Amino acid sequence: MNTFLKLSLIFSLLILGCDLYPQDEYQEYVVVESFLVADAPLSEIYLSTTAPTSQEYKFKDLVIPNANVVVNLLEGGENSPIEYSFAYSLGAMGTYMPIMPHKVLPARTYQLNISIPERDDITATTTVPNRFSNQNAVPDSIVYQSEERIEVRIPASSIADGLKYFIFTTMAHEATFENLVPTFKDLLSREDDPDKLQENILRLSINNSGIISEGNFETEADGSLILRYPWIGIAFFGDNTIVAHILDKNSYDFIRSQNVQLGGGSFSAGEIPNVIYNIDGAIGVFGSFATNTLKTKILRRAGY
Amino acid sequence: MLKRLLVPLLAIFGLLSTVNIYAQPGNSSVSGYITDSETGETLIGANIALLEVNKGSSSNTLGYYSIPNIKAGTYTLICSFIGYKTFKRTFTLAENESLRLEVSLLPEGLALEEIVIESQREIREQKNIGTVQMNTAFIKELPSVFQADVFRSIQLLPGVKASSDFSSGLYIRGGGPDQTLILLDRTTVYNPSHFFGLFSTFNPDAIKNVRLFKGGYPAEYGGRLGSVLDIYNKDGNRKEVAGTVSLGMLSSRVMLEGPYKKGSWSIAARRSTLEPILKVLNNMDDITLPSNFYFLDVNGKINYDAGANDKLNLSFYSGVDVLKFPLAEDFDINLNYGNQTLSSNWTHIFNERLFSNFVFTTARYFSFPNFNLASTKSTRDNNIYDFTIKSDLEFLASDSHTFKGGFWGGVMTLKLNDSFDGTNTFGSRTQSNYGSAYLQDTWKATDQLEFLGGLRVSYFSDGNYLRAEPRLSAEFSPNNRLRFQAAVGRYTQYLTLQTNEAFTAFDVWLTADDGVRPSYGDQFVLGVKTIPFEDYGFDVEVYYRTMKDLFETDPFIPDISGLPYKDTFRFGSGDAYGIEMFFEKRVGRLTGFIGYTFAYTWRKFPGYNNEIGNPDGPGRSYPPKYDRKNDINVVLDYRLSKKWKFTTAYNYATGQAYTEPLGRYNLQNPTWDNPNFVNYQTFVTGKVNASRLPAYTRLDVSFSRKSSFFKLADAEWQFQIVNVLNRRNVWFYNYDFDSNPVKKEEVKLLPILPTISYTINF
């Protein structure tokens, strides 16, 4: 009988031509942005509001200046008591800076509390990934596309407690057109506009791998992970710095869902989901990383 | 709900069946094959009747018919089929005689004023609930994008939608492409596309018959939640060697067929012919084009008539798409994907009451995309191997009962291996055993009332799933011009397809398993089929269907490496409902149809499409992109003269669903990214797919002229203009973040597109 009633209702609505699924109206949200990095000083917190897509976006016009911002180091997990509180104050460029210095502790949970007059309170927690080391020595220089490779070896102890997700960022310190590796040089040489060419070189000078699961790495008998850094990640000859990031859940959720908004994933063209947020009372991200940095010089191969 | 409905119905059905089964009025019979008199090709769905006793039947998928339980006497047999002259013969049957009467139908000529005579029973089989039958002549005559295409012709039918001009994918009654079982000579085809989905793999020259079950399909089919597309290759000309050569702008085709001592054969090949254009364009500066880009397919079939009661055939299909695209120095993309099928079929007639078919099939789908960028290679080896054995038995128990039963068992191997930079990043090999068996009874309770009830039981080894799928349909025909129909059924699906509607070359099929339950759904269909005037038809169908336990790869997972199988999916549900109307004129100088669909389709995945601030909510239902509320198709075919013909197709549809970004913000310091470019720009959207693109409109026209090829063979020129009004329909919106405020840009579908082709028939 219920099904009959449901069907009757559905077809009645069809006949009446009602819009069964109207679009929402724009609503303003508070946006939080902060990424803690293990063993690094507490980072700044950006607090702003969203803007309608039809309006020009200027961050400084959207900053929320009158918030009370505190980051708490918790004794244990998410719901454990506060061990220490770090107050923040509004700094330059509309960002909130910690008043007291503090080095972020790996494998610990931090809680963000923000109160803004006439708005909902904002809370979020992040558990900072454990620090990790590279057990392999990275050579001072490597010939591009040679047999020798940049290898990262991460001990098993650093990657306990579930599947880890990485992002690798490569920073070239000698980013010029002449120093581009052949593939990118060929692609960029098609740009006639010198300003755009320079812009593209600047874009390539710092690039990242996107999210990579530890499942992609080779696992040694002792459980440690081996990553051979692919040549695709190197855009310039010369000195390069590679930063490996391990992502906490909040960063992973934010980055993976933001990526699909711009066409990644298997969504149909035009189906744009909202980002996955792990924050109460606002949108944005309160996330954390653990990082490890390598440096090497990429030498030209004979003929390049 | 379905169980509550079907259990008593089936019980009553069985009880009544038992009562009537022995009520046999006679013990003689007439049976045989129905064929084309010019080619010897068997005809599927031709109608046959004995005039004096108002008893009739239609030929099955092998062209065989049987009318049992006839008293001794003299009868007039009438047989009719669209496009053929009515066959009429008088014969006398003795007591206990089983007469074998082969029927050869003469094709109609193309005389200008000629009207094809049809019996009122003519289209019964094609007009069963949820069923559409399409002949290949119709497919070839329709205006089409570059070349005649089976799927694009089907997309014109009510209830069937296209995702875009660039896709031949079938979206039927709210289901995605994976919810339609596609069979070629009883073999499953897993990726029926060429050129990344622009065309379907089926060469219209090689095809004899296309039958689409849009919904409420009977128990003899299974494995998909929504619909079945059953395609049969031509057997081959049994009278003489004949052929067709067709030259088109995108592809060319050749088909040969002929007889041999014990049967017939046919072979058809098709290949794209883009190379000359690519060569010219490649010589131009500033254009990077593929160095190699083609598709090729071959269909073949050989029939062996082992005796009057035994026929064997072997048919195959092999198709491949190849792309080699050097984009820059040390940067190239290669793609190689396709399908292969092999089907060996044995038809045996035990007697005039018992007919059987045994078939062994193999199907393979492969896709090997890879790229090399700066000596970093990424490869994928994606293979499906499917070996099956099927058997169907049809038993004409009495005047009122026709039983059909069978089984379908198989072993399916899915292999998927990914590598990146020489390291295997993902490897999966699953071998699934599956099987199903069904029993169904067509019960003609009275001259006006007929039921088709059945039960299908299916098993899938991964996860050890056993499912029962009851089906029931009924038809009441108060007179020859009116049929009321209803169908209800449960459908189960053990597979899901990871695909992209714009690009099908990377399709990956995945199976149910432990923790990944098979999808299932119920379908309810009501229909009215009428003949308001002679030679016209007007049909209405209303449907409602559910989709439960839908599983699909989680689109938010950027990298599945290391995840347990069940964690790579998201699970949801859906439903779809609508009304379809179909008005047609089937014979005469002007033929064609108007199809209209009013429909809704919904999907729901927990945690998806929640309101911001409620991330753990149950998820709100939303329409998939291909949902269209209104969809009108008009197809007209007008014979201007003995030589000239005009065909047109017009489509209007509600714009597709999309998500309107409402707000935005930018991350200020994404530490893993380039600080010189604040490109972590983020949308705040409203409900998923709650906005609509502008309505879609397209008018295509085609003129064809019959001629002679140096008086050696018949020939035909075909001049077509796709999108003759040059209306630039919108495919989707692209958002340009480099502009501030964000700029919305339209990505458009096909412009006006003239094509020409030349076909020689010899």
Side-chain angles (χ1 to χ4, degrees):
Chain A
M1 194 61 186
N2 285 339
T3 304
F4 176 76
L5 286 173
K6 188 180 172 187
L7 287 173
S8 304
L9 181 65
I10 286 166
F11 283 107
S12 303
L13 286 171
L14 292 180
I15 290 163
L16 291 170
C18 294
D19 187 355
L20 300 179
Y21 191 63
Q23 183 54 279
D24 296 333
E25 296 291 318
Y26 168 73
Q27 189 182 336
E28 184 183 274
Y29 293 95
V30 174
V31 182
V32 172
E33 178 194 339
S34 182
F35 295 99
L36 307 183
V37 180
D39 296 320
L42 271 179
S43 51
E44 68 275 25
I45 292 171
Y46 298 87
L47 199 60
S48 61
T49 63
T50 56
T53 48
S54 55
Q55 286 182 14
E56 190 177 4
Y57 183 86
K58 282 186 183 169
F59 176 76
K60 66 181 176 62
D61 294 345
L62 300 166
V63 165
I64 297 175
N66 54 345
N68 179 31
V69 179
V70 174
V71 170
N72 300 314
L73 171 64
L74 302 184
E75 285 181 3
E78 256 187 47
N79 298 314
S80 63
I82 296 169
E83 184 177 312
Y84 203 90
S85 288
F86 305 97
Y88 280 62
S89 63
L90 186 65
M93 303 296 288
T95 60
Y96 287 82
M97 304 297 294
I99 296 168
M100 295 293 291
H102 168 72
K103 199 161 90 171
V104 173
L105 301 174
R108 295 295 299 272
T109 301
Y110 288 81
Q111 181 190 59
L112 172 70
N113 284 324
I114 300 175
S115 54
I116 306 167
E118 297 176 4
R119 291 188 188 262
D120 292 341
D121 286 348
I122 298 164
T123 59
T125 56
T126 177
T127 299
V128 181
N130 203 357
R131 68 170 66 92
F132 66 102
S133 58
N134 176 22
Q135 294 180 317
N136 275 2
V138 177
D140 292 338
S141 63
I142 292 180
V143 176
Y144 183 64
Q145 292 184 350
S146 64
E147 289 297 312
E148 190 179 21
R149 301 289 290 271
I150 303 165
E151 277 195 350
V152 179
R153 182 190 176 96
I154 302 170
S157 56
S158 302
I159 49 166
D161 307 326
L163 197 66
K164 296 288 183 289
Y165 291 94
F166 292 79
I167 288 179
F168 294 88
T169 303
T170 309
M171 291 174 280
H173 300 289
E174 299 165 55
T176 62
F177 181 78
E178 291 69 32
N179 277 341
L180 279 165
V181 299
T183 305
F184 294 112
K185 188 179 255 185
D186 188 12
L187 287 168
L188 266 59
S189 65
R190 298 167 195 182
E191 180 57 67
D192 295 329
D193 183 340
D195 291 339
K196 283 194 173 172
L197 175 64
Q198 208 50 47
E199 184 185 314
N200 287 333
I201 288 171
L202 199 56
R203 280 184 192 277
L204 272 177
S205 65
I206 300 179
N207 64 74
N208 72 75
S209 63
I211 295 174
I212 298 174
S213 161
E214 75 170 70
N216 281 294
F217 300 173
E218 289 177 28
T219 308
E220 296 280 272
D222 63 358
S224 57
L225 296 178
I226 301 287
L227 171 74
R228 294 164 69 234
Y229 199 69
W231 291 116
I232 197 175
I234 302 293
F236 294 91
F237 295 116
D239 289 328
N240 280 269
T241 298
I242 298 166
V243 181
H245 303 75
I246 290 182
L247 281 60
D248 80 318
K249 181 181 182 305
N250 297 354
S251 305
Y252 172 65
D253 283 345
F254 184 90
I255 296 167
R256 68 185 174 120
S257 54
Q258 192 275 347
N259 283 346
V260 300
Q261 284 198 324
L262 303 178
S266 55
F267 286 107
S268 300
E271 183 177 332
I272 306 172
N274 268 315
V275 165
I276 301 170
Y277 299 118
N278 295 295
I279 190 162
D280 291 332
I283 61 174
V285 59
F286 177 59
S288 57
F289 305 114
T291 62
N292 192 275
T293 302
L294 324 167
K295 287 185 179 175
T296 193
K297 187 180 186 75
I298 305 298
L299 304 176
R300 290 168 195 271
R301 210 172 75 184
Y304 282 175
Chain B
M1 191 275 176
L2 183 67
K3 192 189 283 183
R4 288 205 305 271
L5 179 71
L6 281 182
V7 168
L9 276 175
L10 285 172
I12 295 164
F13 193 70
L15 192 67
L16 292 173
S17 302
T18 317
V19 173
N20 256 345
I21 194 166
Y22 299 107
Q24 296 174 4
N27 50 15
S28 300
S29 67
V30 57
S31 61
Y33 285 95
I34 303 172
T35 57
D36 178 308
S37 65
E38 285 192 355
T39 64
E41 193 77 39
T42 54
L43 300 175
I44 298 171
N47 286 283
I48 196 154
L50 299 180
L51 214 55
E52 289 79 4
V53 288
N54 194 26
K55 290 182 81 167
S57 177
S58 59
S59 56
N60 63 15
T61 54
L62 294 146
Y64 182 77
Y65 78 94
S66 181
I67 306 174
N69 307 319
I70 314 166
K71 289 177 181 171
T74 300
Y75 296 96
T76 308
L77 183 142
I78 288 186
C79 180
S80 62
F81 192 59
I82 299 164
Y84 290 84
K85 288 182 175 167
T86 302
F87 175 96
K88 194 172 182 180
R89 178 171 296 178
T90 303
F91 62 93
T92 302
L93 271 180
E95 196 71 26
N96 291 323
E97 183 181 357
S98 298
L99 178 68
R100 185 65 176 262
L101 182 61
E102 311 293 4
V103 175
S104 285
L105 297 184
L106 193 66
E108 283 290 346
L110 294 174
L112 187 60
E113 301 298 338
E114 194 164 23
I115 302 295
V116 179
I117 298 166
E118 289 184 301
S119 74
Q120 295 293 353
R121 292 179 53 87
E122 172 76 24
I123 53 174
R124 283 193 76 86
E125 188 73 12
Q126 291 96 320
K127 294 274 186 170
N128 283 341
I129 192 157
T131 308
V132 184
Q133 190 156 307
M134 195 174 268
N135 63 46
T136 49
F138 170 76
I139 293 164
K140 288 181 187 177
E141 283 163 6
L142 280 173
S144 53
V145 180
F146 292 117
Q147 60 174 20
D149 190 88
V150 175
F151 281 18
R152 287 187 181 274
S153 305
I154 290 171
Q155 286 173 349
L156 294 169
L157 299 169
V160 185
K161 299 177 197 304
S163 70
S164 76
D165 288 354
F166 304 118
S167 170
S168 61
L170 299 177
Y171 296 81
I172 301 174
R173 289 189 174 173
D178 63 345
Q179 291 187 13
T180 298
L181 176 68
I182 296 167
L183 297 169
L184 177 63
D185 278 336
R186 299 181 173 79
T187 312
T188 306
V189 180
Y190 286 94
N191 185 337
S193 75
H194 280 312
F195 276 2
F196 319 122
L198 195 58
F199 309 109
S200 67
T201 53
F202 303 108
N203 179 349
D205 285 342
I207 287 167
K208 173 166 68 174
N209 190 274
V210 177
R211 185 175 294 191
L212 173 66
F213 299 87
K214 290 191 284 186
Y217 62 84
E220 63 184 290
Y221 295 99
R224 296 294 186 276
L225 287 185
S227 45
V228 177
L229 183 64
D230 202 7
I231 298 172
Y232 290 91
N233 272 330
K234 277 182 180 170
D235 293 333
N237 195 316
R238 288 170 184 269
K239 308 286 182 181
E240 59 181 356
V241 174
T244 300
V245 175
S246 182
L247 305 172
M249 289 175 67
L250 178 79
S251 72
S252 294
R253 315 190 297 257
V254 59
M255 191 275 289
L256 282 171
E257 57 183 337
Y260 74 104
K261 193 177 174 184
K262 294 291 282 182
S264 63
W265 54 270
S266 72
I267 187 157
R270 182 171 60 159
R271 192 190 188 283
S272 61
T273 47
L274 276 181
E275 280 88 342
I277 300 168
L278 289 176
K279 197 169 182 182
V280 170
L281 292 174
N282 260 329
N283 290 333
M284 297 166 69
D285 287 341
D286 303 328
I287 296 179
T288 305
L289 287 167
S291 61
N292 199 1
F293 186 30
Y294 70 88
F295 74 76
L296 169 70
D297 60 43
V298 183
N299 289 65
K301 195 167 187 176
I302 184 163
N303 295 277
Y304 176 71
D305 298 338
N309 293 325
D310 292 282
K311 287 190 174 190
L312 293 104
N313 69 54
L314 187 71
S315 72
F316 72 91
Y317 166 84
S318 182
V320 67
D321 279 62
V322 173
L323 170 71
K324 289 183 189 299
F325 202 166
L327 287 159
E329 183 176 344
D330 203 12
F331 183 15
D332 54 81
I333 293 173
N334 298 293
L335 186 57
N336 185 331
Y337 80 99
N339 296 274
Q340 291 158 344
T341 69
L342 181 69
S343 162
S344 50
N345 192 76
W346 172 37
T347 302
H348 178 66
I349 302 166
F350 288 96
N351 56 52
E352 71 281 2
R353 290 174 180 275
L354 186 60
F355 180 90
S356 68
N357 190 69
F358 302 93
V359 61
F360 176 75
T361 74
T362 63
R364 182 187 175 217
Y365 161 62
F366 59 90
S367 171
F368 305 129
N370 68 77
F371 75 81
N372 175 45
L373 174 56
S375 290
T376 306
K377 286 182 182 163
S378 175
T379 66
R380 164 166 283 183
D381 285 357
N382 177 13
N383 281 284
I384 297 177
Y385 300 93
D386 190 14
F387 299 91
T388 72
I389 184 162
K390 293 183 197 179
S391 175
D392 297 288
L393 283 168
E394 193 172 344
F395 177 54
L396 306 169
S398 69
D399 267 0
S400 52
H401 286 274
T402 300
F403 291 99
K404 199 168 181 183
F407 68 89
W408 180 0
V411 180
M412 180 169 57
T413 306
L414 277 68
K415 289 202 295 187
L416 181 64
N417 292 298
D418 292 341
S419 76
F420 180 76
D421 199 26
T423 303
N424 290 328
T425 54
F426 183 81
S428 164
R429 183 183 185 278
T430 60
Q431 192 165 73
S432 313
N433 300 320
Y434 62 93
S436 58
Y438 75 93
L439 183 65
Q440 66 183 38
D441 178 19
T442 305
W443 174 36
K444 196 170 179 182
T446 68
D447 282 348
Q448 284 81 38
L449 187 62
E450 186 174 294
F451 294 94
L452 172 59
L455 179 69
R456 186 178 189 91
V457 178
S458 58
Y459 170 77
F460 197 77
S461 64
D462 291 350
N464 213 17
Y465 294 108
L466 181 68
R467 295 287 186 268
E469 303 167 52
R471 319 265 171 88
L472 180 63
S473 64
E475 179 175 308
F476 175 62
S477 313
N479 57 55
N480 283 336
R481 287 175 177 261
L482 188 60
R483 301 164 77 190
F484 296 100
Q485 300 169 324
V488 57
R490 165 67 57 91
Y491 301 85
T492 304
Q493 182 165 330
Y494 298 96
L495 300 173
T496 189
L497 179 64
Q498 181 187 330
T499 188
N500 184 308
E501 66 190 25
F503 197 79
T504 60
F506 298 144
D507 282 6
V508 176
W509 284 90
L510 299 159
T511 67
D513 204 337
D514 288 326
V516 184
R517 294 193 298 179
S519 308
Y520 70 97
D522 298 327
Q523 294 195 29
F524 306 87
V525 191
L526 292 172
V528 181
K529 310 289 162 68
T530 67
I531 303 173
F533 322 105
E534 197 65 41
D535 303 330
Y536 289 85
F538 180 64
D539 308 335
V540 179
E541 284 199 8
V542 180
Y543 66 90
Y544 173 74
R545 53 178 294 223
T546 62
M547 294 163 254
K548 304 278 177 62
D549 288 343
L550 291 174
F551 58 102
E552 62 179 44
T553 48
D554 188 337
F556 286 107
I557 296 178
D559 184 354
I560 61 171
S561 304
L563 280 175
Y565 185 69
K566 69 180 175 60
D567 292 349
T568 63
F569 293 99
R570 65 174 182 172
F571 303 92
S573 59
D575 60 1
Y577 41 87
I579 182 166
E580 298 165 4
M581 298 178 195
F582 189 68
F583 179 71
E584 65 176 335
K585 184 173 186 294
R586 294 174 69 91
V587 294
R589 195 168 172 177
L590 175 70
T591 58
F593 64 81
I594 302 169
Y596 171 67
T597 309
F598 183 87
Y600 280 98
T601 306
W602 302 99
R603 292 288 186 281
K604 186 176 180 180
F605 291 90
Y608 183 62
N609 194 24
N610 278 321
E611 289 173 87
I612 287 177
N614 183 25
D616 300 321
R620 292 180 290 189
S621 293
Y622 67 97
K625 178 179 168 64
Y626 54 83
D627 175 65
R628 293 182 190 275
K629 192 171 168 184
N630 296 287
D631 194 4
I632 301 168
N633 279 290
V634 181
V635 175
L636 297 174
D637 190 290
Y638 186 66
R639 210 175 293 149
L640 296 163
S641 69
K642 284 186 179 178
K643 287 188 173 177
W644 282 93
K645 196 173 192 182
F646 170 73
T647 310
T648 184
Y650 170 79
N651 177 225
Y652 167 88
T654 307
Q656 289 184 321
Y658 79 98
T659 313
E660 179 83 46
L662 303 174
R664 67 176 294 195
Y665 62 94
N666 295 359
L667 290 196
Q668 300 303 300
N669 189 22
T671 56
W672 66 96
D673 210 349
N674 193 330
N676 299 306
F677 300 93
V678 183
N679 56 4
Y680 249 79
Q681 311 196 51
T682 309
F683 281 135
V684 177
T685 67
K687 289 199 278 285
V688 166
N689 287 354
S691 300
R692 292 281 166 172
L693 297 173
Y696 177 95
T697 305
R698 201 177 94 187
L699 177 68
D700 303 339
V701 296
S702 170
F703 289 90
S704 61
R705 184 186 187 277
K706 293 195 177 296
S707 62
S708 166
F709 181 72
F710 299 108
K711 296 184 179 174
L712 296 171
D714 293 335
E716 185 176 83
W717 284 100
Q718 208 167 26
F719 310 94
Q720 302 188 332
I721 305 175
V722 169
N723 195 7
V724 69
L725 301 177
N726 196 26
R727 181 190 159 95
R728 299 305 305 277
N729 293 297
V730 179
W731 187 7
F732 59 87
Y733 291 122
N734 190 44
Y735 295 91
D736 180 8
F737 276 117
D738 289 337
S739 301
N740 196 1
V742 175
K743 198 170 157 188
K744 186 161 89 171
E745 297 167 337
E746 293 179 347
V747 178
K748 293 178 176 172
L749 292 167
L750 285 176
I752 186 169
L753 201 64
T755 62
I756 185 168
S757 67
Y758 184 62
T759 303
I760 303 164
N761 298 302
F762 56 90

